[in-house]
Amino acid sequence: MTGTSADGIDAALVRFEQDQPQTVASCFSPYPARLREQIISLSRRTQVGIDALFALDNAIADQHSEAVSQLLMKAGVSTTQVTAIGFHGQTLHHHPDGDSPFTVQSGNPARLAALTGIDVIADFRRADMAQGGQGAPFAPALHDTLLRTPGKTTVVLNLGGIANITVLRDGDDVIGFDTGPANALMDDWIGAQLGRSHDHNGQWAAGGRVNSALLNRMLADPYFSRGWPKSTGRETFNLHWLETQLAGLTEKPPAQDIQASLLELTAVTVADAISAAAPDCRQIITCGGGVHNLQLIKRLGAHLPGATIRRSDELGVDSDYLEAVLMAWLAQRFLQRLPGNLPSVTGARRAVICGALYPA
């Protein structure tokens, strides 16, 4: 799995026992700086040269092949022991609404199958979108399998490049949707200002002051007041979007205050979404890279004082690799000819088998 932050590849080797995923090994393979720059640059453009687009398609497959080799070497497992690779690809553009919805994940699955000698199952999102769904998020189905607590309303909060929540409540259909930006905007801003890949522990944001005028302008974006199902990504929440918000202020805040305001934006929009979708929630289980942002977790706690915030690791589910496990789970569902989407989450007309097979 490589997400909206586009920092690299989370790889997990998964064994299924009675259809329950058990993680055998995991590793992180960072993107080379030049490749990450190309991904982010292309994801910001509405017009892209076809040569650049398909060169990137191959480069991402090559990088995933290296991640597979690294993972199998770590686990001491040969390629012949692996049934399939669940391959998400790198999202460049996600446009689930309007007259002609579409989503673009870069990464050549045929090339990945050829390089690794392992069957590849990819293109999970478009079958759901063909049924009128958002094509995202898919994680709530796995959250339901792994993290439901009978008798207790639970929210699973994934803090990736984009934040999304899953509501698990006895007797109700699963609810899930993207709440708005999380790590991607904060990473992009600190990268542009200080050249860092991320704000370690949220320390830079913690040293700034929230600019209320900027925060209120950002919160006025129509996405936050929309009902669910809904999903979003870098094509909406990016540095251009931030610069547009800043342009409406009489005075531009200091860079560190902008970082603090971006962090507060995530905390407020997540808290608002949880309050709207699960006002009875008393347990929040966090996963994704944002669990390491201590300032963000602190601010979430301040906005949700009645809830206990726990990491999925406490329940035996690695918070850093849950979405990589999701790709294996989706591949397993495809092989079993079982649906991979949840219409109550995505808004699809029906549950469908998600993915396509690329034989080695």
Side-chain angles (χ1 to χ4, degrees):
M1 176 66 186
T2 175
T4 313
S5 292
D7 54 350
I9 302 160
D10 295 323
L13 183 64
V14 182
R15 177 186 293 116
F16 287 86
E17 297 176 358
Q18 298 180 338
D19 293 333
Q20 292 295 304
Q22 307 291 328
T23 303
V24 177
S26 58
C27 66
F28 174 70
S29 178
Y31 278 146
R34 178 60 180 156
L35 180 59
R36 184 173 189 267
E37 289 170 7
Q38 290 174 329
I39 290 167
I40 293 174
S41 175
L42 286 179
S43 70
R44 290 173 181 162
R45 299 179 189 173
T46 55
Q47 294 186 346
V48 177
I50 196 165
D51 288 349
L53 182 63
F54 284 97
L56 181 65
D57 199 48
N58 287 338
I60 288 174
D62 294 348
Q63 199 68 30
H64 277 76
S65 174
E66 293 180 19
V68 169
S69 297
Q70 180 183 346
L71 176 66
L72 295 184
M73 185 177 298
K74 179 180 179 180
V77 170
S78 71
T79 57
T80 59
Q81 294 174 269
V82 181
T83 304
I85 296 169
F87 177 44
H88 180 264
Q90 178 66 58
T91 297
L92 294 184
H93 199 87
H94 185 64
H95 183 73
D97 304 306
D99 294 334
S100 185
F102 65 91
T103 189
V104 179
Q105 281 73 47
S106 183
N108 184 339
R111 186 180 179 95
L112 180 59
L115 289 170
T116 60
I118 303 170
D119 289 354
V120 172
I121 299 164
D123 194 14
F124 294 112
R125 298 197 184 279
R126 290 197 291 181
D128 179 84
M129 295 182 76
Q131 294 296 328
Q134 291 276 310
F138 275 166
L142 183 59
H143 295 162
D144 190 26
T145 298
L146 297 178
L147 297 171
R148 178 182 287 274
T149 302
K152 181 180 290 188
T153 298
T154 298
V155 168
V156 183
L157 168 61
N158 176 55
L159 292 167
I162 296 293
N164 55 66
I165 64 169
T166 301
V167 180
L168 304 173
R169 183 188 288 112
D170 287 353
D172 287 349
D173 288 338
V174 177
I175 296 171
F177 56 92
D178 291 346
T179 64
N183 300 325
L185 258 180
M186 290 188 283
D187 291 350
D188 286 354
W189 182 250
I190 196 171
Q193 302 304 310
L194 302 181
R196 300 179 190 170
S197 62
H198 66 285
D199 185 3
H200 181 67
N201 287 337
Q203 291 175 348
W204 195 46
R209 297 179 61 182
V210 174
N211 183 284
S212 58
L214 173 60
L215 178 62
N216 289 335
R217 279 189 60 83
M218 293 190 293
L219 287 171
D221 188 284
Y223 182 82
F224 301 122
S225 58
R226 273 178 51 191
W228 58 85
K230 61 179 179 177
S231 56
T232 190
R234 274 191 187 276
E235 62 286 332
T236 299
F237 295 107
N238 50 46
L239 286 182
H240 175 72
W241 177 85
L242 175 58
E243 292 293 349
T244 300
Q245 310 305 315
L246 290 168
L249 302 178
T250 56
E251 184 177 350
K252 185 174 181 177
Q256 192 170 11
D257 291 358
I258 294 173
Q259 186 78 355
S261 302
L262 290 173
L263 185 145
E264 189 71 5
L265 173 69
T266 297
V268 170
T269 52
V270 166
D272 286 350
I274 292 174
S275 297
D280 57 335
C281 172
R282 294 297 176 266
Q283 175 175 259
I284 300 169
I285 299 172
T286 59
C287 55
V291 302
H292 304 291
N293 188 322
L294 301 183
Q295 178 67 6
L296 177 57
I297 300 302
K298 178 182 176 181
R299 293 305 302 153
L300 283 169
H303 288 290
L304 295 162
T308 300
I309 300 177
R310 309 168 65 191
R311 281 171 58 165
S312 64
D313 305 75
E314 297 179 36
L315 303 175
V317 178
D318 192 321
S319 57
D320 287 321
Y321 292 95
L322 182 53
E323 290 210 323
V325 173
L326 170 65
M327 293 304 114
W329 184 83
L330 286 170
Q332 172 79 343
R333 298 284 290 184
F334 175 89
L335 293 171
Q336 294 177 324
R337 311 308 291 164
L338 295 173
N341 64 331
L342 282 179
S344 63
V345 171
T346 67
R349 288 182 288 274
R350 63 184 180 90
V352 290
I353 297 167
C354 297
L357 173 63
Y358 294 79

